[in-house]
Amino acid sequence: MKLINFIKQFPDEQSCKEHFRLKREQEGISCKECRCTKHYWLKAKYQWQCSRCDFRTTLRSGTIMEHAKLPFQKWYMAMAFMSLTKKGISATELQKQMDHSRYASIWNLMHKIRESMGKRDSLYTLTGMIEMDEGYFEKATPEGTKLKRGKGSQKQQNVAVLAESTPLENLDTGITSKHCRYFKMQVLNNHKSDAINSLFINNIEDSSIVFTDKSTSYEDIADYVEVHVSEVSTEITTNTTLKWVHIAIANAKRMLLGIYHKIKGLYLQNYLNEFCYKLNRRYFGDKLFDRLTLAVAKTLV
């Protein structure tokens, strides 16, 4: 959605609330008391009422907006700025554009939206041909922390990157190349095989074919997928077998470095959620904002 269209469609608080109501109904309302999914709208109260137990649900209840005090229009403005721009926007800049007095409120709002992006992408698993490797992202260290000599890894956070690709044949040349479709990025607490195995169990279909380098942490991958192909990590491997993974890692690092000064390891996953969410929907165009409102409107489980 272009900014001029956003201004026309959502000129006030009421227009944002009405749009959010429709998105919540599209996602489905579940009663907190009896889990009934059949509700009817009370226009005078601006709430849903359960058809079974008469329990009422507000617009924000059950979503990431629950307990939030910012008006709907500011939530919608934040979602617009975060989806309109290819690379993203910092909390400081968004605070300025929204003319809001408190930085912390905008920062929390943006991280809640990023969490919604991550939860939306977690609903889907990767299948087919999948590239997998790890990248090291720089993270902020607490002020006053003195790093020991040779302990540069204390400033690095290990991130597993998965790229689902499909082979495409050029009908003119007959040459087959890989075209990447979807990505996942997951912050790892360690480099051990248990963390890798858990990643595959939760994110990969067991019928997949996985390509990796020969890291010892990947020894058990064959137990969770149909085929595991491992190659010695070389420049050729990086540019061919694991091409899309390393392109994603490079683009993510460039995006984070260009917008944010310091990222704490605790919040790195949220920033990666935003990067992957927009990357996976890079062809959605004007529909990206609408999909983001759906993610935010989804009832938390």
Side-chain angles (χ1 to χ4, degrees):
M1 177 181 289
K2 296 179 176 61
L3 183 58
I4 187 67
N5 296 331
F6 172 83
I7 295 172
K8 291 178 181 178
Q9 186 174 350
F10 304 106
D12 52 28
E13 179 74 0
Q14 184 58 34
S15 59
C16 297
K17 292 172 70 174
E18 183 60 21
H19 183 268
F20 192 72
R21 178 181 75 84
L22 296 175
K23 291 302 176 185
R24 285 213 63 184
E25 291 177 348
Q26 182 177 339
E27 279 293 297
I29 311 298
S30 179
C31 178
K32 287 185 177 181
E33 293 294 316
C34 65
R35 297 302 175 187
C36 177
T37 56
K38 187 176 180 181
H39 290 71
Y40 54 91
W41 179 248
L42 300 177
K43 187 174 182 179
K45 298 290 185 180
Y46 225 79
Q47 297 176 346
W48 291 279
Q49 184 161 306
C50 177
S51 61
R52 180 188 296 172
C53 68
D54 294 334
F55 182 82
R56 294 180 181 178
T57 302
T58 65
L59 270 181
R60 299 175 187 260
S61 179
T63 70
I64 63 167
M65 287 190 186
E66 189 169 7
H67 307 306
K69 296 180 179 180
L70 286 174
F72 280 88
Q73 191 176 29
K74 291 206 170 182
W75 278 86
Y76 268 59
M77 289 174 64
M79 286 188 282
F81 276 107
M82 292 175 72
S83 60
L84 290 174
T85 55
K86 180 179 179 181
K87 293 186 177 181
I89 186 171
S90 68
T92 301
E93 181 62 25
L94 185 58
Q95 178 194 8
K96 176 183 176 182
Q97 294 296 331
M98 294 171 62
D99 194 25
H100 192 76
S101 58
R102 298 189 68 244
Y103 169 83
S105 299
I106 302 301
W107 186 90
N108 286 325
L109 179 154
M110 294 182 72
H111 275 286
K112 286 184 178 181
I113 293 175
R114 291 179 180 124
E115 288 173 9
S116 294
M117 291 175 171
K119 289 177 180 178
R120 196 68 176 186
D121 273 352
S122 68
L123 299 176
Y124 310 108
T125 54
L126 304 183
T127 187
M129 299 173 62
I130 298 171
E131 302 173 15
M132 190 271 177
D133 205 352
E134 296 169 56
Y136 292 89
F137 288 73
E138 186 172 345
K139 62 181 180 179
T141 54
E143 291 187 17
T145 301
K146 294 185 178 179
L147 300 180
K148 297 180 180 179
R149 183 176 298 176
K151 294 292 184 178
S153 60
Q154 292 179 0
K155 297 178 64 177
Q156 301 290 322
Q157 180 66 58
N158 193 19
V159 176
V161 182
L162 302 166
E164 177 187 307
S165 60
T166 182
L168 288 179
E169 182 179 356
N170 189 314
L171 297 179
D172 296 328
T173 62
I175 299 176
T176 301
S177 60
K178 289 195 296 183
H179 172 73
C180 193
R181 296 189 291 185
Y182 306 114
F183 295 84
K184 281 181 179 282
M185 293 186 174
Q186 180 66 53
V187 173
L188 299 176
N189 295 325
N190 55 65
H191 190 63
K192 297 181 180 179
S193 58
D194 290 344
I196 302 298
N197 297 343
S198 177
L199 176 72
F200 272 78
I201 292 172
N202 296 322
N203 296 281
I204 306 295
E205 294 287 343
D206 55 12
S207 59
S208 303
I209 301 173
V210 177
F211 299 86
T212 70
D213 59 25
K214 285 188 174 293
S215 170
T216 56
S217 301
Y218 306 154
E219 292 178 348
D220 298 335
I221 290 179
D223 297 335
Y224 303 100
V225 297
E226 185 173 333
V227 178
H228 175 212
V229 180
S230 60
E231 299 181 9
V232 176
S233 182
T234 63
E235 184 176 350
I236 296 176
T237 303
T238 300
N239 294 327
T240 55
T241 307
L242 303 177
K243 172 184 175 180
W244 291 108
V245 162
H246 287 278
I247 288 176
I249 292 173
N251 288 345
K253 287 183 177 181
R254 189 180 301 115
M255 184 272 291
L256 296 178
L257 181 63
I259 300 175
Y260 312 105
H261 298 294
K262 293 182 179 180
I263 296 179
K264 293 182 178 179
L266 180 63
Y267 305 111
L268 177 59
Q269 184 64 59
N270 286 345
Y271 291 99
L272 296 176
N273 288 345
E274 180 183 2
F275 175 80
C276 286
Y277 185 89
K278 293 197 286 189
L279 182 61
N280 291 337
R281 295 159 181 81
R282 56 195 178 276
Y283 302 121
F284 280 28
D286 290 347
K287 296 180 180 179
L288 181 58
F289 171 80
D290 195 61
R291 292 303 181 96
L292 182 53
T293 57
L294 271 175
V296 171
K298 183 174 178 59
T299 303
L300 300 176
V301 179

